[in-house]
Amino acid sequence: MTAVLILLVTVAVSGVIGRFVTRVPQPLVQVALGAALGWASGVPIVLNPDLFLLVFIPPLLFLDAWRFPATELRRLGGIILTLAVGLVVFTVVGAGHVIHWLLPAVPLSTAFALAAVLSPTDAVAVSGMTGGGGGMPRRLKHILEGEALLNDASGLVCLQFAVTAALTGTFSIGAATAAFLWAAGGGLLVGLVVVAAVRLAQGWIVRARGDSPGATILTMLLVPFAAYLAAEHLDMSGILAAVAAGMTLNLLPLEEAGEVATRLQGTAVGDMIQFTLNGVIFVLLGWQLPGILVQAPMIAMQAGAPHTGPMETQVSLGWLGLHVLIICGALMGLRVVWVWLSLAIGRALGRRRGRGRPGGPSGSTLRLINVTAVAGVRGAVTLAGVLSLPQWLREGVPFPGRDVAIFLASGVILVSLLLASLALPWLLRGLNMPEEDAAVEEERVAEAALARAALRRLEQAHHAVSPAASEADLYTEAALRLMEFYRRQVEDPDMPVDALAQNRRRLAIEAELRLVAVRAKRDELARLHRIHAISEETWRRMMHSLDMMEASLGRSRVL
């Protein structure tokens, strides 16, 4: 329990440090804090692999799937699937053979298991290095996030097959294919059924007794664990079940007006849990580093490293570090080859259909390939996967190469984080992607359609409602002002960007002034509460109303 509290406090401290040290990626800050704690305490943290996988992976994948824009997944689904499935298999096979060639003492099954945990990428870490993704083209950002969402599942499914091969000593392609189809299809179905059942039950309860944000949010947080455990009990993929649950919930948004509080609070709770779980994983990585470095000579011996003489530790560390760099280079090379082949095939198919561009890849395309390669950062899921490797085989023999795999995976995570933090800002400077202009035009057309819908609803409300005589003038003035604003957007769909930005800025200023007024109300409400001029119940009810109003105005100011 004490260790859990220390981890949570460390994650909170890393969040405070990240506000001041903005140029250093937060995962690196968390790793450094964890390493300091591990070195100062000298007490290693022994993790139960199955419990570690259960606690961290389902909620992280569920939240990622829940928040990913479903429209982008449909539009970019082909590209995302080639990276999330094809590239994962390509990486497992290619990097697995590279690792086994580098470390002959490590069995091929362990090499494939290590390659499987190294295949998933971490879009959260990449987003943190690019200022929340602000320096990255929107389409590329969605592609990388979609890849990270789905390759977590495919990579960890490959890990399960590799571990099974190591435990049983046999591997059959036909049996593995059948098992994969059963695990993947069944996992997706279980996730969908669990969310559908929960939403039906919640909908009935809300209609019968009203909404309770706390109970609703807690139920949704338990959904990934329920889907994961149910799928695993049926020998299906609990990982894909958690992803399917998140995507299903994404397609079934909360739209009822009475659930506004649930959406706002659920978003805040989801942000907190995602930040906490990712932070704890990186702190745990740092905590393991001092012990891993101390055991480096023994790990090098297990890997078959030549180390003799008085410089044994230095040679071992240098030898292992060199292999970490080689594996990182192999992973980047595999990504470059796969992305280049995908673009070449797509360009060839486009030319056959009469839509391709003549000539080879441009300088922007080559830089895009480099960005995609460098952005393949390994993070929380990689660490969770490698720590989930069993410690023992069934016959009681230690799992072969487990310590070597943990060392190499930890090194690859650190090197990929450092490389991305240094290279990504430079590679992204001035980078544009095709279809970015089309996205802008799409947004402009959508805004005009939304304005027409708002105008129709306002006109209906204006004619249908008969306000009191004392409010008739106010109601008419407000309605006419809003209708005039939306009518301008409808009559001028090609409104210049400057004029559209000016309208948005006007609304943002109005929201900011309203926000000042709301905060003044809160200060006065706090004063009344301090002098006991209002009851505790009245204070809580009015404070909640002001919080909801401020949250809404804060979003308007950002937009």
Side-chain angles (χ1 to χ4, degrees):
M1 180 60 70
T2 303
V4 173
L5 292 176
I6 292 174
L7 290 173
L8 294 178
V9 170
T10 305
V11 173
V13 171
S14 72
V16 175
I17 295 176
R19 297 181 182 181
F20 295 95
V21 189
T22 56
R23 293 190 176 183
V24 179
Q26 197 161 65
L28 290 179
V29 174
Q30 292 163 346
V31 169
L33 291 175
L37 286 173
W39 176 80
S41 65
V43 179
I45 295 181
V46 180
L47 301 170
N48 183 305
D50 294 332
L51 182 62
F52 188 83
L53 193 65
L54 171 64
V55 170
F56 288 95
I57 297 302
L60 283 176
L61 295 183
F62 175 80
L63 290 172
D64 285 341
W66 186 6
R67 295 171 175 211
F68 190 81
T71 303
E72 296 298 330
L73 183 61
R74 288 191 294 267
R75 187 168 66 174
L76 304 173
I79 300 174
I80 291 174
L81 284 177
T82 59
L83 294 173
V85 179
L87 179 56
V88 165
V89 176
F90 187 60
T91 300
V92 171
V93 175
H97 282 93
V98 170
I99 293 170
H100 184 62
W101 174 73
L102 288 172
L103 308 169
V106 176
L108 188 59
S109 57
T110 303
F112 282 148
L114 176 57
V117 299
L118 292 176
S119 60
T121 55
D122 192 333
V124 175
V126 175
S127 179
M129 294 172 195
T130 57
M136 186 176 292
R138 184 173 60 177
R139 185 164 175 258
L140 177 59
K141 176 175 176 288
H142 287 150
I143 290 174
L144 294 175
E145 287 178 347
E147 177 200 5
L149 169 64
L150 297 181
N151 68 11
D152 289 344
S154 54
L156 292 177
V157 168
C158 291
L159 170 65
Q160 291 176 345
F161 288 139
V163 171
T164 301
L167 294 175
T168 61
T170 60
F171 180 78
S172 169
I173 295 180
T177 302
F180 177 81
L181 294 176
W182 168 261
L188 293 173
L189 181 62
V190 167
L192 189 151
V193 169
V194 168
V195 170
V198 171
R199 284 293 289 148
L200 284 175
Q202 279 188 336
W204 179 81
I205 294 173
V206 169
R207 288 190 298 270
R209 296 296 180 182
D211 186 26
S212 174
T216 301
I217 294 170
L218 178 59
T219 302
M220 283 300 148
L221 292 179
L222 294 176
V223 164
F225 299 104
Y228 180 89
L229 292 173
E232 290 294 324
H233 181 71
L234 298 172
D235 291 329
M236 298 172 181
S237 173
I239 297 160
L240 283 174
V243 172
M247 289 303 301
T248 304
L249 189 63
N250 190 2
L251 297 174
L252 298 172
L254 300 173
E255 294 182 350
E256 291 81 359
E259 296 180 342
V260 173
T262 301
R263 288 201 299 272
L264 293 176
Q265 295 177 29
T267 300
V269 171
D271 288 340
M272 183 270 294
I273 290 178
Q274 194 168 39
F275 171 77
T276 302
L277 292 181
N278 275 292
V280 168
I281 289 178
F282 283 113
V283 172
L284 284 174
L285 169 60
W287 199 306
Q288 304 288 321
L289 287 181
I292 292 176
L293 293 177
V294 170
Q295 297 176 356
M298 183 184 65
I299 294 174
M301 184 181 298
Q302 294 177 6
H307 56 284
T308 56
M311 302 297 289
E312 176 177 332
T313 301
Q314 295 182 14
V315 171
S316 299
L317 287 175
W319 185 86
L320 289 172
L322 178 61
H323 281 69
V324 168
L325 295 178
I326 293 175
I327 293 172
C328 286
L331 293 172
M332 290 183 60
L334 290 170
R335 283 183 69 86
V336 168
V337 170
W338 184 266
V339 174
W340 181 82
L341 286 175
S342 299
L343 290 176
I345 293 173
R347 191 179 294 109
L349 293 176
R351 282 198 297 267
R352 289 188 60 181
R353 297 170 183 172
R355 295 188 306 215
R357 295 181 181 178
S362 63
S364 178
T365 302
L366 294 176
R367 190 145 66 103
L368 176 62
I369 295 175
N370 292 331
V371 169
T372 307
V374 175
V377 175
R378 273 64 188 179
V381 174
T382 293
L383 182 62
V386 75
L387 291 178
S388 70
L389 291 175
Q391 296 183 350
W392 306 95
L393 296 174
R394 289 183 177 178
E395 57 268 24
V397 178
F399 191 90
R402 184 178 188 273
D403 293 336
V404 179
I406 293 175
F407 182 94
L408 294 176
S410 302
V412 169
I413 292 172
L414 292 176
V415 172
S416 65
L417 285 171
L418 288 171
L419 180 62
S421 64
L422 295 174
L424 265 184
W426 175 69
L427 289 172
L428 289 172
R429 193 175 296 122
L431 177 65
N432 292 315
M433 285 191 66
E435 299 185 13
E436 288 294 308
D437 294 337
V440 173
E441 178 62 24
E442 178 186 88
E443 181 177 349
R444 183 177 298 179
V445 172
E447 284 181 346
L450 294 178
R452 284 192 293 271
L455 184 60
R456 286 194 301 268
R457 187 67 58 86
L458 285 172
E459 289 175 345
Q460 293 173 2
H462 185 229
H463 293 300
V465 178
S466 299
S470 59
E471 297 181 352
D473 293 340
L474 294 176
Y475 190 88
T476 301
E477 180 183 352
L480 291 178
R481 186 175 61 177
L482 281 175
M483 284 191 290
E484 176 61 25
F485 170 76
Y486 288 117
R487 189 174 289 111
R488 285 191 61 193
Q489 286 187 300
V490 171
E491 294 175 353
D492 190 9
D494 297 325
M495 183 183 297
V497 177
D498 292 342
L500 188 60
Q502 187 178 13
N503 282 332
R504 288 180 173 176
R505 181 57 184 158
R506 185 182 297 110
L507 291 177
I509 291 174
E510 181 179 349
E512 190 169 350
L513 293 176
R514 289 179 180 269
L515 194 59
V516 171
V518 169
R519 289 173 177 170
K521 288 183 177 182
R522 179 184 288 106
D523 293 340
E524 179 63 17
L525 184 64
R527 188 188 68 82
L528 294 175
H529 181 253
R530 283 195 303 270
I531 64 176
H532 305 290
I534 56 176
S535 66
E536 186 78 14
E537 182 180 354
T538 300
W539 173 77
R540 290 185 181 277
R541 186 173 61 253
M542 296 184 69
M543 184 63 74
H544 177 72
S545 176
L546 290 174
D547 288 342
M548 297 287 290
M549 192 179 301
E550 180 172 356
S552 177
L553 290 172
R555 291 177 59 87
S556 298
R557 186 176 58 169
V558 172
L559 294 175

Short mmCIF file of all heavy atoms in Angstrom, two decimals, residues 69-124:
data_model
loop_
_atom_site.label_atom_id
_atom_site.label_comp_id
_atom_site.label_asym_id
_atom_site.label_seq_id
_atom_site.Cartn_x
_atom_site.Cartn_y
_atom_site.Cartn_z
N PRO A 69 -11.70 9.55 -32.65
CA PRO A 69 -12.82 9.95 -33.51
C PRO A 69 -13.21 8.84 -34.47
O PRO A 69 -12.42 8.42 -35.31
CB PRO A 69 -12.29 11.19 -34.25
CG PRO A 69 -10.81 11.11 -34.14
CD PRO A 69 -10.51 10.39 -32.86
N ALA A 70 -14.44 8.36 -34.34
CA ALA A 70 -14.90 7.25 -35.16
C ALA A 70 -14.91 7.60 -36.65
O ALA A 70 -14.65 6.75 -37.50
CB ALA A 70 -16.30 6.81 -34.71
N THR A 71 -15.22 8.87 -36.97
CA THR A 71 -15.23 9.28 -38.38
C THR A 71 -13.86 9.13 -39.01
O THR A 71 -13.72 8.65 -40.14
CB THR A 71 -15.70 10.74 -38.49
OG1 THR A 71 -16.99 10.87 -37.89
CG2 THR A 71 -15.78 11.16 -39.96
N GLU A 72 -12.82 9.52 -38.28
CA GLU A 72 -11.46 9.40 -38.81
C GLU A 72 -11.07 7.94 -38.95
O GLU A 72 -10.32 7.57 -39.85
CB GLU A 72 -10.48 10.13 -37.88
CG GLU A 72 -10.70 11.62 -37.80
CD GLU A 72 -10.51 12.30 -39.15
OE1 GLU A 72 -9.72 11.80 -39.97
OE2 GLU A 72 -11.17 13.33 -39.40
N LEU A 73 -11.54 7.10 -38.02
CA LEU A 73 -11.22 5.68 -38.13
C LEU A 73 -11.83 5.08 -39.39
O LEU A 73 -11.21 4.26 -40.06
CB LEU A 73 -11.73 4.94 -36.89
CG LEU A 73 -11.40 3.44 -36.82
CD1 LEU A 73 -9.89 3.23 -36.80
CD2 LEU A 73 -12.03 2.81 -35.59
N ARG A 74 -13.05 5.49 -39.73
CA ARG A 74 -13.67 5.00 -40.96
C ARG A 74 -12.96 5.54 -42.20
O ARG A 74 -12.74 4.81 -43.17
CB ARG A 74 -15.15 5.37 -41.00
CG ARG A 74 -16.02 4.58 -40.02
CD ARG A 74 -17.49 4.80 -40.31
NE ARG A 74 -17.89 6.18 -40.03
CZ ARG A 74 -18.38 6.58 -38.87
NH1 ARG A 74 -18.53 5.72 -37.88
NH2 ARG A 74 -18.73 7.84 -38.69
N ARG A 75 -12.59 6.82 -42.16
CA ARG A 75 -11.98 7.43 -43.34
C ARG A 75 -10.55 6.95 -43.56
O ARG A 75 -10.12 6.76 -44.70
CB ARG A 75 -12.00 8.96 -43.19
CG ARG A 75 -11.52 9.68 -44.44
CD ARG A 75 -11.81 11.16 -44.38
NE ARG A 75 -11.06 11.84 -43.34
CZ ARG A 75 -11.04 13.15 -43.16
NH1 ARG A 75 -11.77 13.92 -43.94
NH2 ARG A 75 -10.34 13.70 -42.20
N LEU A 76 -9.80 6.76 -42.47
CA LEU A 76 -8.40 6.35 -42.57
C LEU A 76 -8.20 4.89 -42.19
O LEU A 76 -7.08 4.48 -41.90
CB LEU A 76 -7.55 7.24 -41.64
CG LEU A 76 -7.64 8.74 -41.88
CD1 LEU A 76 -6.90 9.50 -40.80
CD2 LEU A 76 -7.10 9.11 -43.25
N GLY A 77 -9.31 4.13 -42.19
CA GLY A 77 -9.24 2.75 -41.72
C GLY A 77 -8.24 1.90 -42.48
O GLY A 77 -7.52 1.10 -41.88
N GLY A 78 -8.17 2.05 -43.80
CA GLY A 78 -7.24 1.24 -44.58
C GLY A 78 -5.80 1.49 -44.21
O GLY A 78 -5.01 0.55 -44.00
N ILE A 79 -5.43 2.76 -44.10
CA ILE A 79 -4.05 3.10 -43.74
C ILE A 79 -3.74 2.62 -42.33
O ILE A 79 -2.67 2.05 -42.05
CB ILE A 79 -3.84 4.62 -43.85
CG1 ILE A 79 -4.10 5.10 -45.27
CG2 ILE A 79 -2.43 5.00 -43.43
CD1 ILE A 79 -4.05 6.61 -45.43
N ILE A 80 -4.67 2.84 -41.42
CA ILE A 80 -4.45 2.46 -40.02
C ILE A 80 -4.29 0.95 -39.89
O ILE A 80 -3.40 0.47 -39.16
CB ILE A 80 -5.60 2.98 -39.14
CG1 ILE A 80 -5.55 4.51 -39.06
CG2 ILE A 80 -5.54 2.38 -37.75
CD1 ILE A 80 -6.73 5.13 -38.34
N LEU A 81 -5.12 0.18 -40.60
CA LEU A 81 -5.03 -1.27 -40.50
C LEU A 81 -3.72 -1.80 -41.05
O LEU A 81 -3.15 -2.76 -40.51
CB LEU A 81 -6.21 -1.92 -41.22
CG LEU A 81 -7.56 -1.87 -40.48
CD1 LEU A 81 -8.65 -2.48 -41.34
CD2 LEU A 81 -7.46 -2.59 -39.14
N THR A 82 -3.22 -1.20 -42.14
CA THR A 82 -1.94 -1.66 -42.67
C THR A 82 -0.81 -1.46 -41.66
O THR A 82 0.12 -2.27 -41.58
CB THR A 82 -1.59 -0.93 -43.97
OG1 THR A 82 -1.53 0.49 -43.74
CG2 THR A 82 -2.62 -1.21 -45.05
N LEU A 83 -0.90 -0.37 -40.88
CA LEU A 83 0.12 -0.13 -39.86
C LEU A 83 -0.13 -0.94 -38.60
O LEU A 83 0.82 -1.46 -37.99
CB LEU A 83 0.15 1.37 -39.50
CG LEU A 83 0.61 2.33 -40.59
CD1 LEU A 83 0.42 3.78 -40.13
CD2 LEU A 83 2.07 2.09 -40.94
N ALA A 84 -1.39 -1.06 -38.20
CA ALA A 84 -1.71 -1.68 -36.91
C ALA A 84 -1.68 -3.20 -36.97
O ALA A 84 -1.48 -3.84 -35.94
CB ALA A 84 -3.09 -1.22 -36.44
N VAL A 85 -1.88 -3.78 -38.15
CA VAL A 85 -1.87 -5.24 -38.26
C VAL A 85 -0.71 -5.70 -39.13
O VAL A 85 0.13 -6.50 -38.69
CB VAL A 85 -3.21 -5.75 -38.84
CG1 VAL A 85 -3.18 -7.27 -38.97
CG2 VAL A 85 -4.37 -5.34 -37.94
N GLY A 86 -0.65 -5.20 -40.36
CA GLY A 86 0.41 -5.63 -41.26
C GLY A 86 1.79 -5.30 -40.73
O GLY A 86 2.69 -6.15 -40.73
N LEU A 87 1.99 -4.06 -40.26
CA LEU A 87 3.30 -3.67 -39.76
C LEU A 87 3.66 -4.43 -38.49
O LEU A 87 4.84 -4.73 -38.25
CB LEU A 87 3.33 -2.15 -39.50
CG LEU A 87 4.64 -1.59 -38.95
CD1 LEU A 87 5.82 -1.93 -39.85
CD2 LEU A 87 4.54 -0.08 -38.76
N VAL A 88 2.66 -4.74 -37.66
CA VAL A 88 2.95 -5.50 -36.44
C VAL A 88 3.48 -6.89 -36.78
O VAL A 88 4.51 -7.32 -36.23
CB VAL A 88 1.68 -5.59 -35.56
CG1 VAL A 88 1.84 -6.66 -34.50
CG2 VAL A 88 1.41 -4.26 -34.90
N VAL A 89 2.80 -7.59 -37.67
CA VAL A 89 3.28 -8.92 -38.07
C VAL A 89 4.65 -8.82 -38.73
O VAL A 89 5.56 -9.63 -38.46
CB VAL A 89 2.26 -9.58 -39.02
CG1 VAL A 89 2.77 -10.93 -39.51
CG2 VAL A 89 0.91 -9.76 -38.31
N PHE A 90 4.82 -7.83 -39.60
CA PHE A 90 6.11 -7.61 -40.26
C PHE A 90 7.21 -7.36 -39.23
O PHE A 90 8.33 -7.88 -39.34
CB PHE A 90 5.97 -6.42 -41.21
CG PHE A 90 7.17 -6.17 -42.08
CD1 PHE A 90 7.62 -7.14 -42.96
CD2 PHE A 90 7.84 -4.96 -42.02
CE1 PHE A 90 8.73 -6.90 -43.77
CE2 PHE A 90 8.95 -4.72 -42.81
CZ PHE A 90 9.39 -5.69 -43.70
N THR A 91 6.89 -6.57 -38.18
CA THR A 91 7.86 -6.26 -37.14
C THR A 91 8.17 -7.48 -36.28
O THR A 91 9.34 -7.72 -35.93
CB THR A 91 7.33 -5.12 -36.25
OG1 THR A 91 7.11 -3.96 -37.05
CG2 THR A 91 8.32 -4.79 -35.15
N VAL A 92 7.14 -8.24 -35.92
CA VAL A 92 7.37 -9.43 -35.09
C VAL A 92 8.29 -10.42 -35.81
O VAL A 92 9.25 -10.94 -35.22
CB VAL A 92 6.03 -10.09 -34.72
CG1 VAL A 92 6.25 -11.45 -34.06
CG2 VAL A 92 5.23 -9.19 -33.79
N VAL A 93 8.02 -10.67 -37.08
CA VAL A 93 8.84 -11.63 -37.82
C VAL A 93 10.24 -11.08 -38.06
O VAL A 93 11.25 -11.75 -37.79
CB VAL A 93 8.16 -11.99 -39.16
CG1 VAL A 93 9.07 -12.88 -40.00
CG2 VAL A 93 6.82 -12.68 -38.91
N GLY A 94 10.31 -9.83 -38.55
CA GLY A 94 11.63 -9.26 -38.87
C GLY A 94 12.46 -9.00 -37.64
O GLY A 94 13.62 -9.45 -37.54
N ALA A 95 11.92 -8.27 -36.66
CA ALA A 95 12.69 -7.95 -35.47
C ALA A 95 12.97 -9.19 -34.63
O ALA A 95 14.02 -9.29 -33.99
CB ALA A 95 11.94 -6.92 -34.63
N GLY A 96 12.05 -10.16 -34.65
CA GLY A 96 12.30 -11.39 -33.91
C GLY A 96 13.52 -12.12 -34.42
O GLY A 96 14.36 -12.59 -33.63
N HIS A 97 13.67 -12.21 -35.73
CA HIS A 97 14.86 -12.87 -36.29
C HIS A 97 16.12 -12.04 -36.04
O HIS A 97 17.20 -12.60 -35.81
CB HIS A 97 14.66 -13.12 -37.79
CG HIS A 97 13.78 -14.30 -38.10
ND1 HIS A 97 12.42 -14.20 -38.29
CD2 HIS A 97 14.07 -15.63 -38.20
CE1 HIS A 97 11.91 -15.39 -38.54
NE2 HIS A 97 12.89 -16.28 -38.48
N VAL A 98 15.99 -10.70 -36.10
CA VAL A 98 17.16 -9.86 -35.81
C VAL A 98 17.62 -10.07 -34.37
O VAL A 98 18.83 -10.21 -34.09
CB VAL A 98 16.82 -8.38 -36.06
CG1 VAL A 98 17.93 -7.48 -35.53
CG2 VAL A 98 16.61 -8.13 -37.55
N ILE A 99 16.68 -10.10 -33.42
CA ILE A 99 17.04 -10.29 -32.01
C ILE A 99 17.67 -11.66 -31.80
O ILE A 99 18.68 -11.79 -31.08
CB ILE A 99 15.78 -10.12 -31.13
CG1 ILE A 99 15.30 -8.67 -31.19
CG2 ILE A 99 16.07 -10.52 -29.68
CD1 ILE A 99 13.94 -8.44 -30.55
N HIS A 100 17.11 -12.69 -32.43
CA HIS A 100 17.68 -14.03 -32.28
C HIS A 100 19.05 -14.12 -32.92
O HIS A 100 19.95 -14.83 -32.41
CB HIS A 100 16.73 -15.06 -32.89
CG HIS A 100 17.18 -16.48 -32.70
ND1 HIS A 100 17.33 -17.06 -31.46
CD2 HIS A 100 17.53 -17.45 -33.61
CE1 HIS A 100 17.73 -18.31 -31.59
NE2 HIS A 100 17.87 -18.57 -32.88
N TRP A 101 19.27 -13.40 -34.01
CA TRP A 101 20.59 -13.38 -34.65
C TRP A 101 21.60 -12.66 -33.77
O TRP A 101 22.76 -13.09 -33.66
CB TRP A 101 20.48 -12.70 -36.01
CG TRP A 101 21.80 -12.49 -36.70
CD1 TRP A 101 22.58 -13.44 -37.28
CD2 TRP A 101 22.49 -11.24 -36.82
NE1 TRP A 101 23.72 -12.86 -37.78
CE2 TRP A 101 23.71 -11.51 -37.51
CE3 TRP A 101 22.22 -9.94 -36.43
CZ2 TRP A 101 24.63 -10.52 -37.81
CZ3 TRP A 101 23.13 -8.95 -36.72
CH2 TRP A 101 24.32 -9.23 -37.40
N LEU A 102 21.16 -11.56 -33.14
CA LEU A 102 22.07 -10.84 -32.24
C LEU A 102 22.37 -11.63 -30.97
O LEU A 102 23.50 -11.60 -30.46
CB LEU A 102 21.46 -9.49 -31.86
CG LEU A 102 21.41 -8.41 -32.93
CD1 LEU A 102 20.60 -7.22 -32.42
CD2 LEU A 102 22.81 -7.96 -33.32
N LEU A 103 21.37 -12.34 -30.45
CA LEU A 103 21.47 -13.05 -29.18
C LEU A 103 21.10 -14.51 -29.39
O LEU A 103 19.97 -14.92 -29.11
CB LEU A 103 20.55 -12.42 -28.14
CG LEU A 103 20.68 -10.91 -27.94
CD1 LEU A 103 19.55 -10.37 -27.09
CD2 LEU A 103 22.03 -10.59 -27.30
N PRO A 104 22.02 -15.32 -29.89
CA PRO A 104 21.69 -16.72 -30.17
C PRO A 104 21.26 -17.49 -28.92
O PRO A 104 20.54 -18.48 -29.02
CB PRO A 104 22.99 -17.29 -30.75
CG PRO A 104 23.75 -16.09 -31.22
CD PRO A 104 23.38 -14.98 -30.30
N ALA A 105 21.73 -17.05 -27.73
CA ALA A 105 21.36 -17.75 -26.50
C ALA A 105 19.90 -17.55 -26.13
O ALA A 105 19.35 -18.30 -25.33
CB ALA A 105 22.25 -17.29 -25.34
N VAL A 106 19.27 -16.52 -26.69
CA VAL A 106 17.86 -16.26 -26.43
C VAL A 106 17.02 -17.10 -27.40
O VAL A 106 17.20 -17.00 -28.61
CB VAL A 106 17.53 -14.77 -26.61
CG1 VAL A 106 16.03 -14.52 -26.44
CG2 VAL A 106 18.31 -13.94 -25.60
N PRO A 107 16.12 -17.95 -26.89
CA PRO A 107 15.31 -18.79 -27.80
C PRO A 107 14.49 -17.94 -28.77
O PRO A 107 14.15 -16.78 -28.49
CB PRO A 107 14.40 -19.55 -26.83
CG PRO A 107 15.08 -19.50 -25.51
CD PRO A 107 15.82 -18.19 -25.48
N LEU A 108 14.18 -18.53 -29.90
CA LEU A 108 13.44 -17.81 -30.93
C LEU A 108 12.06 -17.39 -30.42
O LEU A 108 11.57 -16.31 -30.77
CB LEU A 108 13.31 -18.68 -32.18
CG LEU A 108 12.72 -18.00 -33.42
CD1 LEU A 108 13.56 -16.81 -33.84
CD2 LEU A 108 12.59 -19.00 -34.57
N SER A 109 11.44 -18.23 -29.59
CA SER A 109 10.13 -17.87 -29.06
C SER A 109 10.21 -16.63 -28.17
O SER A 109 9.34 -15.74 -28.23
CB SER A 109 9.55 -19.04 -28.25
OG SER A 109 10.43 -19.41 -27.20
N THR A 110 11.27 -16.53 -27.36
CA THR A 110 11.46 -15.33 -26.53
C THR A 110 11.76 -14.12 -27.40
O THR A 110 11.31 -13.01 -27.11
CB THR A 110 12.58 -15.56 -25.51
OG1 THR A 110 12.29 -16.71 -24.72
CG2 THR A 110 12.75 -14.35 -24.60
N ALA A 111 12.55 -14.32 -28.47
CA ALA A 111 12.85 -13.22 -29.38
C ALA A 111 11.57 -12.71 -30.03
O ALA A 111 11.37 -11.49 -30.17
CB ALA A 111 13.85 -13.68 -30.44
N PHE A 112 10.69 -13.62 -30.43
CA PHE A 112 9.40 -13.20 -31.01
C PHE A 112 8.54 -12.50 -29.96
O PHE A 112 7.82 -11.54 -30.28
CB PHE A 112 8.66 -14.41 -31.58
CG PHE A 112 9.18 -14.85 -32.91
CD1 PHE A 112 9.14 -16.19 -33.28
CD2 PHE A 112 9.70 -13.95 -33.82
CE1 PHE A 112 9.62 -16.61 -34.52
CE2 PHE A 112 10.18 -14.35 -35.06
CZ PHE A 112 10.14 -15.69 -35.41
N ALA A 113 8.58 -12.98 -28.71
CA ALA A 113 7.81 -12.33 -27.65
C ALA A 113 8.31 -10.90 -27.44
O ALA A 113 7.52 -9.96 -27.28
CB ALA A 113 7.91 -13.12 -26.35
N LEU A 114 9.63 -10.73 -27.43
CA LEU A 114 10.19 -9.38 -27.27
C LEU A 114 9.81 -8.50 -28.46
O LEU A 114 9.43 -7.33 -28.29
CB LEU A 114 11.71 -9.45 -27.13
CG LEU A 114 12.45 -8.12 -27.04
CD1 LEU A 114 11.93 -7.27 -25.88
CD2 LEU A 114 13.95 -8.34 -26.90
N ALA A 115 9.89 -9.04 -29.68
CA ALA A 115 9.50 -8.27 -30.86
C ALA A 115 8.01 -7.91 -30.81
O ALA A 115 7.61 -6.82 -31.25
CB ALA A 115 9.81 -9.07 -32.12
N ALA A 116 7.20 -8.80 -30.25
CA ALA A 116 5.77 -8.52 -30.16
C ALA A 116 5.49 -7.36 -29.21
O ALA A 116 4.64 -6.51 -29.50
CB ALA A 116 5.02 -9.78 -29.70
N VAL A 117 6.19 -7.29 -28.08
CA VAL A 117 5.95 -6.18 -27.15
C VAL A 117 6.58 -4.89 -27.66
O VAL A 117 6.17 -3.79 -27.24
CB VAL A 117 6.48 -6.50 -25.73
CG1 VAL A 117 5.78 -7.71 -25.17
CG2 VAL A 117 7.97 -6.67 -25.71
N LEU A 118 7.56 -5.00 -28.55
CA LEU A 118 8.16 -3.80 -29.13
C LEU A 118 7.38 -3.27 -30.33
O LEU A 118 7.63 -2.15 -30.78
CB LEU A 118 9.61 -4.09 -29.56
CG LEU A 118 10.61 -4.35 -28.44
CD1 LEU A 118 11.97 -4.71 -29.03
CD2 LEU A 118 10.74 -3.15 -27.52
N SER A 119 6.45 -4.05 -30.86
CA SER A 119 5.71 -3.61 -32.06
C SER A 119 4.68 -2.52 -31.76
O SER A 119 4.48 -1.64 -32.61
CB SER A 119 5.04 -4.81 -32.72
OG SER A 119 4.14 -5.44 -31.84
N PRO A 120 3.99 -2.49 -30.60
CA PRO A 120 3.03 -1.40 -30.37
C PRO A 120 3.72 -0.07 -30.15
O PRO A 120 4.79 0.01 -29.53
CB PRO A 120 2.27 -1.85 -29.11
CG PRO A 120 2.54 -3.30 -28.96
CD PRO A 120 3.90 -3.51 -29.55
N THR A 121 3.12 0.99 -30.64
CA THR A 121 3.62 2.35 -30.44
C THR A 121 2.75 3.08 -29.42
O THR A 121 1.66 2.62 -29.07
CB THR A 121 3.64 3.13 -31.76
OG1 THR A 121 2.31 3.10 -32.33
CG2 THR A 121 4.61 2.50 -32.74
N ASP A 122 3.24 4.21 -28.95
CA ASP A 122 2.56 4.96 -27.89
C ASP A 122 2.27 6.36 -28.41
O ASP A 122 3.16 7.23 -28.44
CB ASP A 122 3.44 5.03 -26.64
CG ASP A 122 2.68 5.54 -25.44
OD1 ASP A 122 1.72 6.30 -25.63
OD2 ASP A 122 3.06 5.19 -24.31
N ALA A 123 1.02 6.60 -28.82
CA ALA A 123 0.65 7.91 -29.35
C ALA A 123 0.60 8.96 -28.25
O ALA A 123 0.77 10.15 -28.51
CB ALA A 123 -0.71 7.84 -30.05
N VAL A 124 0.35 8.54 -26.99
CA VAL A 124 0.31 9.49 -25.89
C VAL A 124 1.68 10.14 -25.70
O VAL A 124 1.81 11.35 -25.50
CB VAL A 124 -0.15 8.79 -24.59
CG1 VAL A 124 -0.08 9.74 -23.41
CG2 VAL A 124 -1.55 8.25 -24.75
#
